[in-house]
Amino acid sequence: MSTAPARITYREACREAIRAAILADPRVFLMGEDVGRYGGCYAVTKGLLEELGEARIRDTPLSESAFVGAGIGAAIAGLRPIVEVMTCNFSLLALDQILNNAATIPHMSGGQFAVPLVIRMATGAGRQLAAQHSHSLEGWFAHIPGLRILAPATIEDARHMLAAALADPNPVLIFEHIMLYNMEGELDPAVQGVDIASARIRRPGHDVTLVTYGGSLFKTLDAAEALAREGIESEVIDLRVLRPLDTATIMQSVARTRRVVIVDEGWRSGSLSAEVAMRIMEEAFFELDAPIRRVCSREVPIPYAAHLEQAALPQPGSIAEAARGLARPAP
Amino acid sequence: MSTKVHLDRAHGLRLLREMLRIRRFEGKCAELYQAQKIRGFLHLYDGQEAVAVGVMQALGPEDAVVGTYREHGQALARGIPMGPLMAEMFGMQEGVCRGRGGSMHIFDHGRRFCGGNAIVGAGLPLALGFALADRMQGRQAVTACFFGEGAADEGEFHESMNLAALWRLPVLFVCENNLYSMGTPLGIAEAETSIWHKAAGYRMGGEAVDGMDPVAVEVAARRAVERIRADGTPHFLECRTYRFRAHSMFDAQLYRTKEEIEAWRAKDPIPRLRDWMERAGHLHAGDMERLEAEVEQEVAEAVAFAEAGTLEPVEELERFVTMDEVPQ
């Protein structure tokens, strides 16, 4: 194996993760809409059907409830399915299976049955796909006990989170932000795996903590660069795992910076950002020097028109503005 | 009564005993519900016994079963012991699911019994998954999936029928048509009230069978299971049956007449099989009394087992929300 870092896209990292998982374990297979002949709605699975065959790369009818439920049953009965729900917008059609079966059966059966299932789905806005194709629903799923919720934001996580998810005896949902698929970067061949338990500090800083995940990570890093030019050093935390939350990493950072901005592409009301903020209230209230701020999507269905869509989403400018208000109080 | 299954004395007694076990177990459950030993929702299978008992005759231990929320009969006929089942009703940790599931969520890993599912139609996709796993792993097993006719109202039913037929999954779909989804009569919920006709739309074989006759159900189920094992294609059985009691313990039954209930009670599968066996010379003097006594004893022991049960410590409340490993 080459030791030089390879330049690949996030999409290719997702594809290689699936390919490697299927080659490594005869129990693993992928099913979903258009994953085979079409190559995946976002071209993630392009070429896999030809290489791995119809038994392992299964095109399904447009029956989210049936094929997600079949994945749950197959996981209970000994397989390790990867189910692709094309986008999280369609996951609502399978919500009953995910909540009432996958998340419930292990506890409800008194520990007799585990559901070692992985469900991948695209999430987020930014490509003018309008309201019904632009939701960020990972925060909703993070409400549900029994699930592990992952949001790979980096190429390394896109490449390695899947294997860890498949090794988990519990249902794991992976949310891939649609704006990340074309992102290109280096993949260090020396890294052979990642954990799916901890948050990561993507940029150290001491003036303010910016907590984010998924597609908002790079907007937040851009904001941090802008702030740095003004002399404000931000610490950027990539949550990576939305359930269970790694609160220790957050609290340690809060203890250093004493100021927090949470950036979440979900709507503000009842959101993951609200949960993170409340955890900080419960665990680190006296560390804070200022109220927590949030930058979330505006509370509207995401519109088609580009200027309106962009106005609805967190942006580097709005993130930097929120941080500036905290780190540099008005005289 | 069909004679395609060799219905000798031993087999007839077995069917009678299995139906009686369900009937008497549930009679006791109703009593214990009144006594507030059992709480929550309790849906009795009273009247439908021939369906579960008939279908289970066609299955072996390698096969899988996905049940409904009215699944005491399915669980008992599958061989889940009465004591742990009753203890589950009592919410005791000696129950099959440690008291976490209760009446509507009976699971038994060893017997491949995966619910007990209280969302109408939600078991069908699970059954597809069991069948897919069995086929991909080279097992010859069949998954029997029970559901009521109300499930046919759900989109999930149609998704599952299509996918099972499309992927040729070894599933026996068992529709227990008892004519009412809770209080809604079939005729005002379905445009096509002959549920098995829907199978044809998915190029799936299907038939309707007298669900008040355990032998007729067994004959149909054996034929279907043999075919499924041979060619891997799913099959659909609509068992026409009736529940004699209310939907749950909270149901005043304003939606049906006493006359209708009495007309169906006249088709009660237990006296029906008993009378047929008598006429055929398979039932001897004292047989019924002996069966009744044995079943009564089994139910009494189950109640005693449940009464002696212990409560799971509250410290274990969150245990199994996530699993540390996959149980083998």
Side-chain angles (χ1 to χ4, degrees):
Chain A
M1 181 181 282
S2 163
T3 52
R7 275 197 84 73
I8 65 169
T9 62
Y10 182 97
R11 170 183 293 108
E12 289 162 344
C14 292
R15 180 185 308 144
E16 188 51 29
I18 295 166
R19 184 177 168 274
I22 290 176
L23 289 173
D25 186 341
R27 300 171 302 173
V28 177
F29 68 101
L30 173 78
M31 63 174 160
E33 295 157 355
D34 277 323
V35 298
R37 284 151 191 83
Y38 190 92
C41 178
Y42 291 99
V44 167
T45 52
K46 203 167 171 50
L48 293 184
L49 173 65
E50 293 73 12
E51 182 185 356
L52 301 169
E54 286 187 359
R56 312 292 290 282
I57 303 290
R58 293 180 164 266
D59 278 320
T60 65
L62 310 188
S63 305
E64 287 81 3
S65 191
F67 69 74
V68 169
I72 296 166
I76 291 172
L79 296 179
R80 294 292 180 274
I82 305 167
V83 177
E84 177 176 315
V85 176
M86 191 180 280
T87 81
C88 75
N89 308 283
F90 313 152
S91 73
L92 302 183
L93 296 164
L95 187 55
D96 174 61
Q97 286 295 331
I98 296 170
L99 172 53
N100 275 317
N101 283 338
T104 308
I105 284 175
H107 190 265
M108 193 165 67
S109 69
Q112 294 183 75
F113 292 103
V115 184
L117 168 73
V118 174
I119 304 174
R120 298 173 45 246
M121 49 185 119
T123 186
R127 291 184 56 179
Q128 287 193 261
L129 302 181
Q132 293 178 342
H133 276 66
S134 299
H135 292 306
S136 292
L137 299 178
E138 52 277 1
W140 277 20
F141 286 100
H143 178 63
I144 302 172
L147 303 181
R148 185 179 294 275
I149 309 296
L150 307 180
T154 65
I155 284 168
E156 184 176 280
D157 278 347
R159 172 62 185 86
H160 293 300
M161 273 185 162
L162 180 67
L166 284 164
D168 191 316
N170 301 292
V172 180
L173 274 55
I174 304 180
F175 289 84
E176 299 160 7
H177 197 286
I178 58 167
M179 298 308 285
L180 297 176
Y181 284 125
N182 289 333
M183 178 177 72
E184 202 177 275
E186 290 185 344
L187 183 67
D188 183 352
V191 175
Q192 293 293 302
V194 296
D195 75 83
I196 50 170
S198 66
R200 291 273 177 86
I201 294 172
R202 298 295 185 194
R203 183 189 193 284
H206 46 73
D207 293 327
V208 59
T209 297
L210 310 179
V211 181
T212 188
Y213 67 90
S216 299
L217 173 63
F218 297 94
K219 292 178 176 178
T220 306
L221 287 168
D222 285 351
E225 286 307 309
L227 290 165
R229 288 193 289 273
E230 303 165 22
I232 298 171
E233 290 300 331
S234 318
E235 182 146 290
V236 177
I237 295 180
D238 172 9
L239 289 173
R240 299 177 70 246
V241 185
L242 309 186
R243 184 185 185 96
L245 279 170
D246 169 18
T247 49
T249 298
I250 300 170
M251 302 314 155
Q252 286 157 16
S253 179
V254 172
R256 284 191 291 271
T257 65
R258 301 180 178 277
R259 295 169 178 84
V260 184
V261 176
I262 303 163
V263 183
D264 180 359
E265 196 176 308
W267 291 304
R268 175 189 301 250
S269 301
S271 65
L272 189 76
S273 69
E275 181 60 31
V276 171
M278 196 60 212
R279 297 283 182 104
I280 295 169
M281 288 295 126
E282 290 169 338
E283 296 180 36
F285 178 76
F286 293 105
E287 304 288 350
L288 291 172
D289 281 349
I292 294 171
R293 293 207 176 180
R294 287 190 279 165
V295 181
C296 300
S297 283
R298 298 279 292 276
E299 305 232 343
V300 296
I302 304 296
Y304 160 72
H307 69 296
L308 292 177
E309 179 182 44
Q310 291 304 314
L313 301 175
Q315 300 294 353
S318 55
I319 299 165
E321 188 55 35
R324 229 175 257 131
L326 287 184
R328 191 193 295 153
Chain B
M1 192 74 59
S2 168
T3 53
K4 283 187 183 170
V5 168
H6 183 53
L7 188 59
D8 58 14
R9 172 174 155 78
H11 192 65
L13 285 173
R14 175 182 161 78
L15 295 178
L16 256 184
R17 172 194 295 274
E18 288 302 302
M19 290 196 295
L20 260 183
R21 289 177 71 237
I22 299 167
R23 183 70 59 88
R24 298 297 174 248
F25 174 85
E26 290 200 316
K28 182 56 78 176
C29 286
E31 260 179 64
L32 292 164
Y33 197 88
Q34 299 303 332
Q36 302 200 356
K37 296 275 189 182
I38 299 174
R39 307 301 300 268
F41 278 141
L42 182 70
H43 305 92
L44 301 182
Y45 201 60
D46 191 4
Q48 301 181 207
E49 294 89 344
V51 179
V53 170
V55 168
M56 294 305 172
Q57 306 309 310
L59 303 180
E62 73 281 11
D63 298 318
V65 178
V66 173
T68 62
Y69 60 85
R70 193 182 300 286
E71 87 282 31
H72 308 154
Q74 297 151 9
L76 285 169
R78 181 57 178 167
I80 296 177
M82 208 179 266
L85 193 58
M86 188 62 90
E88 186 65 25
M89 308 285 179
F90 275 53
M92 300 296 177
Q93 62 180 339
E94 290 77 8
V96 278
C97 301
R98 309 172 69 85
R100 267 93 175 284
S103 165
M104 298 194 289
H105 305 297
I106 303 300
F107 290 81
D108 188 321
H109 189 279
R111 290 177 181 81
R112 302 198 84 198
F113 192 90
C114 191
N117 203 310
I119 305 296
V120 172
L124 279 86
L126 292 182
L128 266 53
F130 265 76
L132 179 63
D134 284 335
R135 214 191 51 205
M136 286 182 76
Q137 299 190 310
R139 296 187 289 258
Q140 288 299 305
V142 168
T143 298
C145 179
F146 289 81
F147 52 91
E149 86 289 345
D153 305 355
E154 299 280 358
E156 210 161 38
F157 168 89
H158 300 275
E159 292 186 8
S160 299
M161 295 281 287
N162 178 55
L163 192 56
L166 187 70
W167 285 5
R168 300 172 69 91
L169 299 176
V171 178
L172 175 62
F173 290 98
V174 182
C175 176
E176 300 187 303
N177 180 0
N178 68 11
L179 300 176
Y180 293 90
S181 34
M182 204 158 99
T184 300
L186 180 56
I188 68 165
E190 284 290 317
E192 171 55 82
T193 56
S194 196
I195 308 292
W196 73 276
H197 283 155
K198 299 173 195 293
Y202 302 101
R203 295 177 173 266
M204 189 190 300
E207 66 205 276
V209 59
D210 180 356
M212 305 304 274
D213 176 354
V215 180
V217 174
E218 180 182 344
V219 168
R222 282 187 186 277
R223 202 168 46 216
V225 166
E226 269 171 37
R227 215 190 84 183
I228 294 168
R229 283 197 218 282
D231 68 8
T233 56
H235 193 80
F236 194 95
L237 274 191
E238 178 190 344
C239 302
R240 292 182 170 162
T241 184
Y242 199 78
R243 62 172 159 73
F244 295 153
R245 299 207 201 201
H247 164 73
S248 73
M249 306 307 278
F250 302 104
D251 168 15
Q253 301 195 69
L254 303 175
Y255 49 85
R256 60 184 191 179
T257 63
K258 288 195 169 58
E259 292 73 29
E260 180 185 296
I261 298 171
E262 286 315 307
W264 275 95
R265 277 195 186 276
K267 303 176 192 174
D268 188 330
I270 295 174
R272 192 168 160 194
L273 179 59
R274 179 198 64 202
D275 294 349
W276 183 88
M277 286 179 66
E278 264 174 9
R279 286 199 302 277
H282 290 326
L283 201 66
H284 301 167
D287 275 347
M288 275 314 285
E289 292 75 8
R290 182 177 47 80
L291 273 185
E292 287 279 11
E294 286 169 4
V295 169
E296 190 182 16
Q297 175 69 21
E298 189 185 3
V299 172
E301 285 170 9
V303 174
F305 180 82
E307 293 276 10
T310 55
L311 297 174
E312 185 172 14
V314 173
E315 293 69 31
E316 293 187 15
L317 176 61
E318 292 180 8
R319 192 175 172 201
F320 308 125
V321 171
T322 54
M323 302 286 287
D324 298 330
E325 58 183 5
V326 176
Q328 295 308 312

